[in-house]
Amino acid sequence: MVEPDERVLEEATARRRKLRPGELVELVERHGSRDRPGVARDVIETHAAALNERLRGQFDAGTVRDAIDERLTESETWVDENALYAVGDRVSVYPARWHETLGGSTDLPAYVEFLREATAFREDVDSGGRGRGVPKDALLDAVSVIGRVERRAAKARLDELRKEGVVAEDADQHPESRVRLT
């Protein structure tokens, strides 16, 4: 049996009732095994049960199981932010094609270009917020999950690239800051 990762439980506990099942999947995937894309269902369910125990029943572990069943798709392309993707026998918050194309890469400009060109993702990238480009949070999430890089390290690298003039970023304080190649 897999032991729950304390980092996942701490982040999930901080969000409490605001935590959506897909976000729990992302946390487990971000902090989980780095040997291959996605995460096994039983590992997700173990974390959901541990979170329910930690929050004394305030988190319904069954909703995670149901969400996986309802949202799981075998689509190779982006469906929407609520979808969960089958990556072999595992579950991911990103399609298998994204893992195949970017898996293990830490090249942030490549992520910006890929996310920018992902046809189904383009509407989401170009709508709302100020300016054009890839939402900074979406970029950092993708790099941390697919590239298997700690989010802080990805953010530090993004700051370096901005200072070097490789990328431009909307005002960092903007809640929907966007990143684009220069």
Side-chain angles (χ1 to χ4, degrees), residues 53-65:
E53 185 176 315
R54 181 171 285 195
L55 294 175
R56 296 187 174 109
Q58 293 180 4
F59 181 80
D60 183 2
T63 61
V64 174
R65 225 179 353 266

Side-chain angles (χ1 to χ4, degrees), residues 138-177:
L139 172 64
L140 294 174
D141 288 344
V143 172
S144 68
V145 171
I146 299 171
R148 300 178 178 115
V149 173
E150 288 293 326
R151 202 169 197 283
R152 278 190 215 129
K155 185 178 184 322
R157 179 64 182 137
L158 182 61
D159 290 343
E160 289 172 11
L161 291 171
R162 185 179 38 78
K163 288 174 186 170
E164 293 169 6
V166 176
V167 298
E169 184 180 342
D170 292 339
D172 198 25
Q173 298 82 6
H174 191 281
E176 294 180 26
S177 178

Side-chain angles (χ1 to χ4, degrees), residues 107-128:
D107 181 2
L108 268 71
Y111 278 84
V112 171
E113 184 66 25
F114 182 84
L115 293 174
R116 183 83 183 92
E117 296 300 321
T119 305
F121 197 53
R122 177 173 284 145
E123 277 183 19
D124 198 43
V125 170
D126 289 338
S127 65

